[in-house]
Amino acid sequence: MMTGKIFNYTLAAMLLLSFSSCDLNEVPVDTATNEAVFGSESGMELYTNSFYDLLPGTDVGVFQGDDNSDLVARNGVDNYLAPNALSPITSSGWSMPDWADLRNINYFLENAEKSKVPTKGHFIGMARFFRALFYFEKVKRFGDVPWIEKPIEITDTTKLSAPRDSRFDVMDKVLADLNFAIENITLTSDPSCTRITKNVARAYKTRICLFEASLRKYHTNYNKQATADAWYEEVIKEANAITGFTLHAGATPDRGYRELFIAKSAFADETILSVALSSSLQVFSSANRRFISPTYGNRPSLTRRFINTYLNLDGTPFTSKAGYATTPFVDEVKDRDLRLKQTIRLGDYRRTENGSPVIAPPNFSQTYTGYQPIKWCYDERFPFDDESRNDNAHIVMRWAEVLLNKAEALAELNRMTAADWTATIGALRKRAGITGTTLTTLPTVADPYMISFFANKFTNAVLLEVLRDRGVELIFEGLRPDDLRRWKLGELFQTAPMNGMYVPALGEYDLNADGIKDVYFYQGTKPTSTTPGIAFVDVSPSTAVGRIQLSNGTSGEVMWNPGARQWIDAKYLYPIPQAVRDRNPALGQNPGWN
């Protein structure tokens, strides 16, 4: 059995299919290999393995997805948010290669329907699952898109010059594809967590339906609020149908969460779908290098605005403590939700250097805010930090997300019960070492910090707590940008501060209470220090891009300036590329783009 995206590439040689230069042209129906592929179960399985390329890639996929969000300070500003960088001229995602996966799927579907293989329903279900994923991504990016479910002949000028179909009609078809997949995929479980199963299709359905429900509710310009609840109901129904998973406990309470993201083989108790990496096959990711290297990639760091949302271990909000806003790092990280110490460097965190464990505090030559991530990163330094050689399993979907999807849908429908809370948010907090009534009792008073955190968009106490845990649990799993877009909170891409730890005054600081100074904040002439390896951070007043400042000049929160960020509501959808519109003017353009 081939696993995940590591499959037999001989399929490419079997399918020497020619493509037209038309962007939406499908593969020709007749090929010399048709009978070899569609005349046997093994041939159909080999073909459907090609669809796995639609899953997130391991190098720029899941763990890097949140770099463009309100929770992460990063190096530079992506073209999506840089002023005047995104336009119909620079937009992408609609060229011929971008539709190649749909060509592949539709060619399979047309021929599989004619097959006499008794198990063809399973493989058709697989193809329709991946078609749902393909169209979900296209709808998120462009809104209205042409729905194509049959191979197109190069002479079909009517279809090739047609306008786009309504995104809502397309999403109804996506839902139909998902339902068909759930009904017909026969594989129910997979110990390797790398194959598409019935439960994988159900889990993806909870993600997709939650996105669609929120978009219909909060994007009032579409006038679809009345249809949102039905999509929330689909989330709950499918989450309840998933069986066989639980939250991974780990060897100790302060390891269970982190273990998930550094395991070479995915933990099957919680992981629903992952992409397998392999050192023997030279299939790696660059997780350590992207998070730790001072020169490679986006160098993401978490913001203090976000870190403040982690609860105290007794279940109370950290922001309810007197003086929280001026609490130094070494104190603010104490007695907090155990997911915090499994997400960033703090306290007694150690890395392995030359075979020996070495205390590793936040390193200001690698972090902009002081909140330096460790999620997805091996503790060993070489070669993972200096080369793209991570081979830990790349988790795409896990049980915790399904619980959060269900909890959000229940909260949106005002149907959350104490039992529901205990089984979802309570269970996640219990694994994180949190105690108190917050594990079993529904909140009744909205946290003022969380109301402000979400720009006064949400005021429901239960929903705000669900969203608190969604951020904490799923950080660096690539879902945050879509969350902001579906909630219609795009302005947070621009307005969320890139703030870091609180610094009481200029000088040296020990960040992990081991008696050794780790960072020296100064202005003007670089000082000297007797501490080997200490990081020097110049916070002299400056408006230059790429400089760290303190919010009050010589004290205050660390403030990172990555460059100007710009949000306009037109960015909820990418513009249709101008070159594509030149070939087919009937496609039109998305609102706000010339």
Side-chain angles (χ1 to χ4, degrees), residues 191-209:
S192 74
C193 309
T194 61
R195 303 296 294 177
I196 302 303
T197 66
K198 196 180 293 286
N199 278 330
V200 169
R202 284 173 168 151
Y204 258 99
K205 182 180 171 183
T206 70
R207 178 187 291 181
I208 291 170
C209 288

Side-chain angles (χ1 to χ4, degrees), residues 296-576:
Y296 183 80
N298 296 335
R299 192 175 155 187
S301 306
L302 293 178
T303 69
R304 193 174 201 227
R305 170 180 170 271
F306 172 57
I307 295 296
N308 284 341
T309 68
Y310 283 75
L311 294 172
N312 297 317
L313 277 176
D314 64 5
T316 59
F318 171 72
T319 52
S320 67
K321 297 177 68 172
Y324 82 88
T326 56
T327 302
F329 177 82
V330 70
D331 295 318
E332 70 175 334
V333 297
K334 293 177 180 177
D335 299 322
R336 301 284 290 278
D337 179 330
L338 292 180
R339 286 171 291 192
L340 182 58
K341 70 178 297 184
Q342 298 172 81
T343 302
I344 65 170
R345 295 188 183 190
L346 56 83
D348 60 355
Y349 175 69
R350 287 173 167 81
R351 305 199 73 213
T352 300
E353 302 281 352
N354 298 319
S356 301
V358 177
I359 290 287
N363 186 340
F364 265 90
S365 68
Q366 302 165 350
T367 177
Y368 295 119
T369 65
Y371 304 111
Q372 185 172 359
I374 60 172
K375 186 173 177 176
W376 297 106
C377 297
Y378 284 137
D379 292 339
E380 296 85 359
R381 182 177 183 275
F382 185 82
F384 305 108
D385 293 0
D386 301 319
E387 303 174 29
S388 298
R389 293 186 63 84
N390 283 71
D391 57 356
N392 37 329
H394 196 68
I395 298 175
V396 177
M397 177 73 67
R398 60 191 179 96
W399 180 236
E401 183 196 337
V402 174
L403 294 180
L404 287 160
N405 294 345
K406 175 183 175 180
E408 186 175 340
L410 286 167
E412 289 282 16
L413 294 172
N414 292 311
R415 287 206 350 236
M416 180 79 78
T417 66
D420 291 327
W421 178 267
T422 302
T424 56
I425 304 304
L428 290 165
R429 291 181 176 182
K430 184 177 181 180
R431 175 172 66 178
I434 295 172
T435 61
T437 59
T438 185
L439 302 183
T440 57
T441 304
L442 291 172
T444 57
V445 178
D447 181 355
Y449 186 86
M450 297 307 297
I451 293 175
S452 175
F453 185 83
F454 286 108
N456 301 309
K457 184 87 173 187
F458 310 112
T459 57
N460 179 280
V462 174
L463 180 60
L464 282 168
E465 291 305 308
V466 170
L467 300 188
R468 181 201 298 272
D469 268 73
R470 184 176 182 86
V472 166
E473 181 72 27
L474 300 179
I475 184 64
F476 290 126
E477 295 184 46
L479 299 174
R480 187 64 175 190
D482 280 348
D483 285 348
L484 294 182
R485 286 186 281 260
R486 67 185 174 90
W487 294 326
K488 205 175 184 183
L489 277 172
E491 65 266 25
L492 293 182
F493 283 112
Q494 175 181 334
T495 61
M498 300 291 99
N499 61 339
M501 61 176 58
Y502 180 78
V503 179
L506 299 178
E508 296 178 296
Y509 288 91
D510 175 5
L511 300 179
N512 59 350
D514 66 347
I516 301 172
K517 303 299 184 182
D518 304 304
V519 61
Y520 201 136
F521 295 99
Y522 72 95
Q523 292 184 352
T525 303
K526 182 178 178 180
T528 58
S529 174
T530 59
T531 304
I534 193 170
F536 291 93
V537 181
D538 183 2
V539 293
S540 298
S542 173
T543 58
V545 171
R547 289 292 303 275
I548 290 177
Q549 304 284 280
L550 297 182
S551 59
N552 299 322
T554 58
S555 67
E557 291 181 333
V558 166
M559 303 299 297
W560 167 244
N561 179 13
R565 295 170 287 155
Q566 177 198 53
W567 177 260
I568 55 175
D569 282 354
K571 291 184 180 182
Y572 282 119
L573 296 174
Y574 274 68
I576 307 300

